[in-house]
Amino acid sequence: MNVDKARPWFKVCYRWGQTNLTELDPIRYDRDWWRQHWRNTRVQGVIVNAGGIVAYYPSALELQHRAIHLGDRDLFGEIAEDAREEGLAVVARMDSNRADERFYLEHPDWFTVDQEGIPYRAGDLFIACIFSPYYDTFLPAVLEEVIERYQPEGFADNSWSGLQRDRICYCVNCRRKFRDHAGADLPTTHDWDDPVYRNWIQWNYARRIEVWDHNNATTRRHGGEHCLWVGMNAGDILAQGKHFRDYKAIAERAELIFLDSQYRHPGMGFQRNGEAGAQLHDMLGWDKLIPESMAMYGAGQPSFRVASKSPGDARLWALDGFSGGIQPWWHHIGAYHEDRRQYRTAEPLFRWHEQNEQYLLDRKPAATVGVVWSQENADFYGRHDPETRVRMPWNGMNDALIRARISYVPVHADNIAATVSRLELTALVLPNVGRLTDTQCDAIREFVRNGGGLVATGETSLYDADGLPRRDFGLADVLGVHATRTHHGADNDERAAWDQWSQHTYLRIAPERRRWVYGPATGDEPDDDTPRHPVFDGFEETDIIPFGGRIEVVRPEEGVTTPLTLIPPFPIYPPETSWMRHPSSNVPGLVLREADSSGRVAYLAVDLDRTFGRGRLPDHATILANLVRWTTGTHQPMQIDGPGFVHCTPYWQQHRMVIHLVNLTGHETGHAPVADYFPAGPLSIRLTGVAARSARLLVAGQEVPVKNDDGGLSVEILQIMDHEVLVIETM
Ligand SMILES: [Zn+2]
């Protein structure tokens, strides 16, 4: 690796490879074969197992377990030497939170224990405590030794963040340090209402950041300013919370993120990968890199460590990642495989990436909508059920936007003002963001006061910084509603109730166009021509919408409109009983507020974001998208028409627009492995306020006709198989 102080490795390595060594590999690692594979796949850096749980070099640290079949070999050193000869960056891989019994017996007080003092274990191994000298002295000694002997460019650490949140460690270090910190004993249960438990959560988060800084101080001291230690992080905020990894704090101090998000998780679509890239770039900056470990093996449920992943799965995951500013990194478990098909997946992806890298870096999102999130919301509001409270509304809302080809960026609730001004966002969306601090509420209030549109759902702003209920919405004045602290769609079993009502429910659109027939005609039938609010575009032939979710009961202020109300539940079975006992109610499902100078505000008391995330009813997605369009003043700079679930992500890159179109048709949910692509198109793309000199398709590899007119430009794309990237050189 050439050393260039202005362009260090973490700025210039766009493609990575990792042969994740097993303990058997020292007797079967084929150096020439892997060197050729590096060349074939155009990687610029490799991640090579060094130490931690298993060492692949002859360490002088007596307690560091050597790979069983290492013998006298220095496999890490040999691979590092090969990589250097190939001109590649070498990142030493650590896996650092467990040790064998030999180590445990030497330092029992460095390891996690339960309330009875029984060690927490993972298989045969003992889990080290992050508050112990294992992290303060032993791991830094490993880092120092690896640097002294091999001078790697940096480190990637796999399981660096210690015991997960679902278990509390009661070792002597934890007992003493927590008492010093909090003046209280360690919590005994996971009670979010207990301030001591919440304090324990924050204390754990802070320790991980301390470890991050401590490791980086060590690597920089011994390896120079560019020798970074980088802990691996998940693409999923809920997973980050379970591991006490504060993404915002990490992003603020990281030069790059090594993303450990290897595959599409069950029930989710590939679109989550591009979204994660955008979410991280919002915090990290769009000028930094996010290489992502991508499994070439059968990761997921079920997992097959040594068999090839369906190539379509690996491809769509990578392609959607490219659309979110993620760089590829192939990952195999073990150095020898009888299923050789897995070696074929990376090459075409990586070569395409190399050929087109100039269009894939240093870009600025051209999205106009921001969807607000925070990790604290997932923790302190999500509590024991972040899946239902946080993830499902998030996925449902964002999938509704993708389906409507409305481009959005995730915006951290602490960064609202900065991101809004940097990207010139015209609307913010708050999908059941229950926990908002007063400062975050102020930033949203200011945004709306300055003309920004807002869509908020469910319990948004009903909880304070600690996740404790407020008397009223923190944003009551902005939303035009007040809390009653009651809701429908629940019984004693809160969780089950959020999933399904025992009876079924609907929503009524006002004004109705068809008379409810519950008695003899009275002659006052509604007028079919009565105009309706534009948020009901597409619903001309119905007065009702199926619901089946949870409704927050609110008291609207004067001057707002409530064009959607609850139809109370009525039986499903037997069919003879399935008629509306109460065809209408005054319970508002949607509250719209338009003030003179402020932006338009939609408060959705019904959880259509969550119900779309769960049940995928197109009606729910259509209303969500209509609401966002209405709050932006119906002005969307990009409009894309045509069939297919296509994840469309536009960027500005100096005087050029780059638009990713990832065809996820048939693969936007579920977890069946990808066996076929379903072509999407033809697509008509219309951009307003832009004129083009030329347009080019990076996948088809050809120029495409572009029509300029007074208002903007139009391009047609006939068909997309897995993805296309449209590059428009603007005037
Ligand atoms: Zn401990």
Side-chain angles (χ1 to χ4, degrees):
M1 189 70 199
N2 296 327
V3 179
D4 177 349
K5 284 209 178 245
R7 305 278 292 159
W9 64 275
F10 47 83
K11 297 271 186 207
V12 297
C13 290
Y14 308 136
R15 288 168 297 281
W16 292 82
Q18 180 188 8
T19 311
N20 204 340
L21 303 173
T22 68
E23 293 199 83
L24 183 60
D25 287 321
I27 57 174
R28 61 178 188 177
Y29 185 90
D30 183 337
R31 292 171 68 175
D32 291 337
W33 192 92
W34 285 105
R35 281 178 78 146
Q36 188 57 48
H37 195 59
W38 296 340
R39 289 178 211 141
N40 292 347
T41 53
R42 318 302 296 159
V43 297
Q44 297 159 303
V46 288
I47 286 115
V48 189
N49 304 58
I53 298 173
V54 179
Y56 287 88
Y57 69 99
S59 173
L61 296 159
E62 193 51 31
L63 287 173
Q64 192 175 206
H65 169 81
R66 287 191 199 177
I68 290 169
H69 293 281
L70 187 65
D72 295 329
R73 202 169 172 186
D74 180 359
L75 187 55
F76 173 79
E78 292 170 30
I79 298 173
E81 189 182 304
D82 291 346
R84 288 264 156 64
E85 285 180 18
E86 297 289 329
L88 308 182
V90 175
V91 164
R93 178 185 187 272
M94 301 284 294
D95 203 346
S96 68
N97 74 340
R98 291 164 212 179
D100 60 17
E101 191 165 17
R102 192 176 54 106
F103 198 137
Y104 167 74
L105 291 172
E106 288 291 321
H107 295 284
D109 55 331
W110 290 9
F111 291 84
T112 55
V113 294
D114 67 14
Q115 250 175 307
E116 275 70 53
I118 313 288
Y120 289 123
R121 297 170 68 152
D124 292 340
L125 302 177
F126 295 75
I127 301 173
C129 180
I130 197 160
F131 289 93
S132 79
Y134 181 90
Y135 282 80
D136 294 320
T137 58
F138 175 72
L139 283 176
V142 176
L143 299 176
E144 183 181 343
E145 183 179 73
V146 171
I147 292 169
E148 296 300 327
R149 292 195 194 177
Y150 307 102
Q151 300 85 46
E153 266 66 38
F155 289 82
D157 199 331
N158 185 42
S159 53
W160 60 278
S161 51
L163 199 64
Q164 292 188 39
R165 189 173 82 191
D166 56 355
R167 292 188 285 190
I168 299 172
C169 175
Y170 296 91
C171 77
V172 290
N173 298 294
C174 285
R175 284 180 191 278
R176 179 176 51 80
K177 290 183 177 177
F178 188 70
R179 175 148 278 290
D180 290 348
H181 163 79
D185 286 334
L186 289 161
T188 53
T189 56
H190 297 269
D191 177 5
W192 289 94
D193 284 326
D194 176 6
V196 174
Y197 180 70
R198 294 198 303 271
N199 196 332
W200 177 79
I201 295 279
Q202 302 283 23
W203 176 67
N204 269 283
Y205 268 120
R207 173 62 179 165
R208 272 68 180 177
I209 294 302
E210 195 174 82
V211 166
W212 185 287
D213 290 342
H214 183 56
N215 285 341
N216 272 289
T218 301
T219 54
R220 285 177 153 150
R221 184 164 62 248
H222 297 285
E225 61 169 319
H226 296 320
C227 186
L228 308 180
W229 174 94
V230 188
M232 303 280 282
N233 284 287
D236 170 46
I237 299 309
L238 270 52
Q240 289 290 96
K242 282 181 196 160
H243 289 89
F244 297 116
R245 299 191 292 238
D246 180 340
Y247 235 145
K248 185 161 166 284
I250 289 169
E252 280 165 2
R253 59 209 348 103
E255 292 292 346
L256 89 166
I257 294 285
F258 278 140
L259 189 55
D260 188 3
S261 185
Q262 303 199 30
Y263 58 94
R264 173 180 56 155
H265 285 260
M268 293 182 201
F270 295 97
Q271 62 272 26
R272 295 281 88 79
N273 201 28
E275 177 182 277
Q279 190 168 20
L280 290 177
H281 277 301
D282 175 53
M283 296 181 286
L284 189 68
W286 283 88
D287 56 332
K288 292 182 180 169
L289 301 177
I290 308 176
E292 177 183 69
S293 176
M294 297 172 176
M296 300 293 119
Y297 60 89
Q301 292 172 1
S303 271
F304 298 101
R305 288 290 214 185
V306 297
S308 180
K309 182 191 270 186
S310 144
D313 271 65
R315 244 188 110 68
L316 287 180
W317 188 249
L319 296 175
D320 204 76
F322 295 173
S323 81
I326 281 172
Q327 291 80 45
W329 154 4
W330 52 252
H331 179 201
H332 297 277
I333 303 288
Y336 181 83
H337 303 95
E338 290 155 299
D339 186 346
R340 297 169 297 283
R341 295 173 297 179
Q342 64 191 287
Y343 304 140
R344 301 284 163 243
T345 310
E347 190 173 329
L349 271 170
F350 281 55
R351 285 183 179 265
W352 185 87
H353 190 274
E354 182 188 45
Q355 281 160 12
N356 296 287
E357 67 183 27
Q358 60 170 308
Y359 302 105
L360 305 176
L361 302 157
D362 298 322
R363 313 180 294 187
K364 180 177 127 173
T368 49
V369 174
V371 185
V372 176
W373 70 281
S374 78
Q375 195 165 333
E376 291 88 349
N377 180 54
D379 290 340
F380 293 95
Y381 167 65
R383 294 188 166 198
H384 296 296
D385 194 11
E387 188 70 39
T388 310
R389 290 185 157 202
V390 177
R391 196 206 301 272
M392 226 180 265
W394 171 266
N395 287 352
M397 179 64 80
N398 294 345
D399 283 355
L401 297 177
I402 293 171
R403 182 176 171 272
R405 285 83 180 250
I406 298 172
S407 184
Y408 66 94
V409 282
V411 179
H412 193 285
D414 285 338
N415 295 347
I416 287 172
T419 304
V420 160
S421 73
R422 190 169 62 244
L423 301 183
E424 298 170 42
L425 301 180
T426 56
L428 290 176
V429 179
L430 300 160
N432 202 42
V433 185
R435 181 230 185 238
L436 284 173
T437 66
D438 293 346
T439 310
Q440 291 165 351
C441 287
D442 285 344
I444 294 162
R445 188 173 287 113
E446 183 67 15
F447 173 74
V448 173
R449 191 181 294 138
N450 290 331
L454 186 72
V455 177
T457 73
E459 295 197 287
T460 292
S461 82
L462 254 183
Y463 296 79
D464 67 12
D466 288 326
L468 301 177
R470 287 192 166 108
R471 291 166 58 87
D472 199 355
F473 292 98
L475 290 171
D477 57 322
V478 180
L479 304 177
V481 296
H482 297 283
T484 65
R485 301 228 49 93
T486 56
H487 60 272
H488 297 307
D491 55 24
N492 292 333
D493 182 357
E494 179 79 13
R495 190 188 163 122
W498 283 38
D499 288 339
Q500 185 78 54
W501 285 33
S502 56
Q503 299 179 306
H504 65 340
T505 55
Y506 295 79
L507 301 168
R508 181 167 297 286
I509 303 171
E512 67 269 11
R513 290 179 174 175
R514 195 161 179 195
R515 195 174 151 273
W516 323 327
V517 180
Y518 286 93
T522 59
D524 60 347
E525 274 73 17
D527 176 2
D528 266 4
D529 298 329
T530 317
R532 271 184 178 168
H533 200 280
V535 301
F536 300 115
D537 282 357
F539 294 91
E540 289 74 18
E541 293 206 67
T542 180
D543 294 346
I544 61 169
I545 295 168
F547 174 40
R550 179 192 191 277
I551 182 167
E552 185 72 26
V553 179
V554 296
R555 190 167 49 78
E557 282 185 352
E558 294 287 313
V560 300
T561 52
T562 56
L564 200 61
T565 47
L566 179 70
I567 298 173
F570 59 95
I572 296 173
Y573 295 110
E576 288 87 340
T577 67
S578 199
W579 53 277
M580 293 175 191
R581 304 300 191 275
H582 304 282
S584 71
S585 78
N586 290 321
V587 181
L590 170 65
V591 179
L592 302 176
R593 182 168 173 269
E594 264 183 290
D596 283 345
S597 55
S598 312
R600 292 171 171 177
V601 177
Y603 168 70
L604 197 58
V606 285
D607 60 345
L608 300 190
D609 42 3
R610 183 187 292 114
T611 58
F612 185 63
R614 181 179 63 216
R616 314 292 297 183
L617 272 187
D619 282 355
H620 295 177
T622 301
I623 290 186
L624 294 170
N626 284 353
L627 286 171
V628 172
R629 284 199 195 94
W630 175 72
T631 58
T632 59
T634 65
H635 170 70
Q636 283 295 324
M638 177 178 79
Q639 188 178 335
I640 301 181
D641 296 312
F645 188 91
V646 182
H647 191 184
C648 307
T649 315
Y651 291 95
W652 281 106
Q653 193 187 43
Q654 287 97 38
H655 299 293
R656 156 193 297 163
M657 283 198 87
V658 179
I659 304 176
H660 287 259
L661 304 152
V662 186
N663 177 17
L664 301 177
T665 308
H667 309 303
E668 65 267 39
T669 59
H671 63 274
V674 174
D676 289 303
Y677 301 111
F678 306 104
L683 298 179
S684 306
I685 299 170
R686 166 93 192 146
L687 301 172
T688 48
V690 187
R693 283 190 287 117
S694 65
R696 182 171 178 76
L697 300 175
L698 295 184
V699 177
Q702 60 190 43
E703 297 285 315
V704 62
V706 55
K707 268 186 246 158
N708 290 316
D709 57 41
D710 285 349
L713 64 85
S714 309
V715 175
E716 297 278 325
I717 299 178
L718 289 180
Q719 192 183 70
I720 298 175
M721 199 51 99
D722 49 8
H723 77 138
E724 187 52 89
V725 179
L726 171 65
V727 175
I728 296 168
E729 304 292 347
T730 59
M731 290 199 270

